[in-house]
Amino acid sequence: MTDKTRSEMLQMLDLMLDESKPYPKRLEAYEYLSEDCEEIVDVMLSKLYTLEGDSAKMLMEVLSEYKGNKAIFMGLVGFLYRGEDVALFARLIGRYGDEQGIEVLKTFCEEYEPNYNEFMELRNAIEELGGDFTLKQDFSDDPLYRYLKGLDDADEQVRATAPETDEECDDCDDDCHDDDCDDCNDDCCHHDHTHDSHCDHTHDHRDHDHHCDEN
């Protein structure tokens, strides 16, 4: 049993969607609306299609807390396909719990070519819904993937420890190939040049820090 009244719910909805209001106040309204406000879900849905940007995402996040509504599920899918915040909406679809989300997320992942962060959120959401995820993608050029795997550090170490090549040796005469030539520095002319210097190698409005710049 909730003490919230319909009038109060509608006031909080207006506050949350009013971008002229201070963000902390809007966030309070967001948290208020995220539970025990089933009575105005239809009103929230009707407003959703008139919004865009951060307000639309904020309202969609609130709606995602009200399970079992096909209109809300389709709204989440629609926002996913906008591609504006793939990681967030993949996570929300996984949390929503509708098993139809498994095929939606798999199809999207195959068609969209997500980056590493998005790919991981899509995979996690599919598995959260009980699906199997077997899609493989190459993220060797993805900055986040390389950072997490320490690959850029490994490349730096290889470059730092790679020996000089003949072209970098300033002490030798390029035309000199005589082992007995006194004009060449022995240490310089006997580098091992067989070494290959190349080596293989979401924001959620619940996360308040992401929105501090909106105050």
Side-chain angles (χ1 to χ4, degrees), residues 18 50 61 82 99 167 180-181 195 198 206:
D18 187 346
T50 66
E61 286 182 55
R82 289 185 185 184
E99 291 184 357
E167 289 78 7
D180 296 326
C181 176
H195 180 81
H198 298 285
R206 272 170 279 266

Side-chain angles (χ1 to χ4, degrees), residues 101-112:
I102 296 173
E103 290 306 316
V104 169
L105 293 167
K106 284 184 176 181
T107 300
F108 179 83
C109 196
E110 292 169 355
E111 296 175 350
Y112 178 74

Side-chain angles (χ1 to χ4, degrees), residues 1 6 11 24 36 43-46 53 82-83 90 100-102 125 137 143 147 149 200 207 213:
M1 188 73 179
R6 181 180 179 86
Q11 287 177 1
D36 300 324
V43 176
M44 288 192 279
L45 280 168
S46 68
R82 289 185 185 184
Q100 289 186 338
I102 296 173
Q137 293 194 19
Y147 172 77
K149 300 298 183 181
D200 293 332
D207 301 329
D213 59 348

Side-chain angles (χ1 to χ4, degrees), residues 2 94 104 125 145 147 149 158 164 187 190 208 213:
T2 177
V104 169
Y145 177 85
Y147 172 77
K149 300 298 183 181
V158 169
E164 294 180 0
D187 290 337
H190 290 85
H208 302 171
D213 59 348

Side-chain angles (χ1 to χ4, degrees), residues 32-73:
Y32 173 97
L33 293 164
S34 293
E35 58 182 359
D36 300 324
C37 290
E38 290 88 351
E39 186 176 344
I40 64 164
V41 162
D42 289 344
V43 176
M44 288 192 279
L45 280 168
S46 68
K47 289 184 176 290
L48 181 64
Y49 304 107
T50 66
L51 300 171
E52 59 184 20
D54 194 63
S55 291
K57 289 194 289 186
M58 183 179 282
L59 181 55
M60 195 70 251
E61 286 182 55
V62 167
L63 285 166
S64 73
E65 297 296 331
Y66 297 95
K67 315 297 185 188
N69 187 311
K70 285 297 181 184
I72 294 174
F73 174 74

Side-chain angles (χ1 to χ4, degrees), residues 171-187 189-190:
D171 295 329
C172 291
D173 183 341
D174 290 340
D175 296 328
C176 174
H177 300 286
D178 185 349
D179 291 340
D180 296 326
C181 176
D182 294 333
D183 293 332
C184 290
N185 182 311
D186 288 343
D187 290 337
C189 293
H190 290 85

